[in-house]
Structure formats: C-alpha cells, structure tokens
Amino acid sequence: VTVLAGAVSVVNNRIVYGTAHGVAVLDGGSGLVKDNLIASNAGAGVCIGTVSDPHLEGNLIADNGGQGLAIYNGGQGRIVSCEIRSNAYNGIDISLNRAQADHQRHHPNDDDMPCPRIDSCHIHDNCKDGVNITGGANCVLHECDIFDNAEHGVSVSGASRANIEHSRLNGSRGNGLNIRGAGTAPAVFNCKIGTHGRDNVAVSDWAE
C-alpha cells in the first residue's frame, strides 16, 4: 500500500508478504492506518517519508524484513497502541538526516522540528534496537513498553533530541537506554528502566 500526497484510510486489512514495504506514506501523505496486520513484508512494515503525517492505531507490525516502522527525512505521524515486534531490523527507526552542525542551531521544541509521537505501543523482540533515533531527529515516546530486543532498548545518537516519558524499558540484550554522540540530549521523565544485558543507561562520546 503506497500513499502519495493525499489522505487515505487503510483499516482492518491483512498486508502481508509484500516485496517492498507493507505500507508507505510518502511525499506529504496522511490519513488513517488502523487495525491492520502488517507482517512478513520484504522491507519495513510501515515507512513514513518526507513531510508525511499519518495516524497509525491498533496495528500489529511484525516479522518484516526491515524495520517495523521507519520514519525519515521529516516524516511525522502519531502512532498509538501498536504492537511492533519480531522485525529483522530495529522496531522503530527515526532519522531526520540533518547534519549535526545544522541540527545544533535548533532547539528541540522549535516549530520547524518534525516530531513524530509514539504513544502506548509495545515494541519487543526485534532483531536490533527497539527504538533507534538518529540523524538529528526529534520525537516523543510516551507510555511505551520496550522490552526483549536483541540490542538496545532505546538508542539516541547523532545530535538527536527526544522526550521519553512514562515508558518501561526492560530485558533487551544491550543497554536499556543508549545515548551517544556530541549534541545528543534526550529528556527522560518518569521511566522505569529494568535489567538489561549491559548497562541500564549508557552515555558515550560526549553526549550532553
């Protein structure tokens, strides 16, 4: 399913065994993606591209060949009550692809900063990180359960800034929260970070 520059509703479908992404919302696309099984596609389960802003709710995104959810190059969206599990790469990838020096001139709350919001999602058993935020990206993770991923629970790097709120991180094999790189400065509020294979929280390479 590909949505280009318009609003489309994709509700209560089985989107499986595709040869690319399961759902791609690109070039300013929007609309509702709700109550779907998005599984076993060759690429990402869902891909949100440049200035696209869909609402995802109640989807099971599993067993895809790439990321569960990939948001890149200014994509936004609100992702609510989705289960994102057992994907071959990161559960969620968010990247702005902006150079660090450019990003550091902006405050994370600036109006021009794309800020996807992930609410009440279960992100688990993915083959890399549960959530990877990089390339100067910004996002909100709110009331999410992030557990049992093969690498880090949440990784924030590349001068990215995120709010991680009221979420639970547990049981991933790497670090629970991995913060890396100059200018990287997530804000963490009222989270429960349990036992992980390495450190519960790791900060490296001059993160702020």
Side-chain angles (χ1 to χ4, degrees), residues 79-158:
I79 296 85
V80 181
S81 299
C82 292
E83 183 175 3
I84 301 172
R85 64 167 171 82
S86 304
N87 296 286
Y89 198 62
N90 300 314
I92 298 177
D93 251 345
I94 303 172
S95 177
L96 189 58
N97 293 326
R98 176 186 288 177
Q100 286 194 14
D102 182 39
H103 176 75
Q104 289 168 348
R105 290 196 292 269
H106 294 75
H107 187 275
N109 294 321
D110 282 354
D111 290 340
D112 66 344
M113 282 292 294
C115 189
R117 183 179 177 97
I118 294 80
D119 276 301
S120 303
C121 290
H122 292 245
I123 304 159
H124 64 96
D125 291 293
N126 296 287
C127 292
K128 292 203 172 215
D129 297 338
V131 180
N132 181 60
I133 305 160
T134 191
N138 190 26
C139 75
V140 174
L141 289 173
H142 180 76
E143 292 188 348
C144 291
D145 282 307
I146 302 164
F147 59 96
D148 293 347
N149 296 285
E151 294 190 7
H152 307 307
V154 176
S155 184
V156 188
S157 64

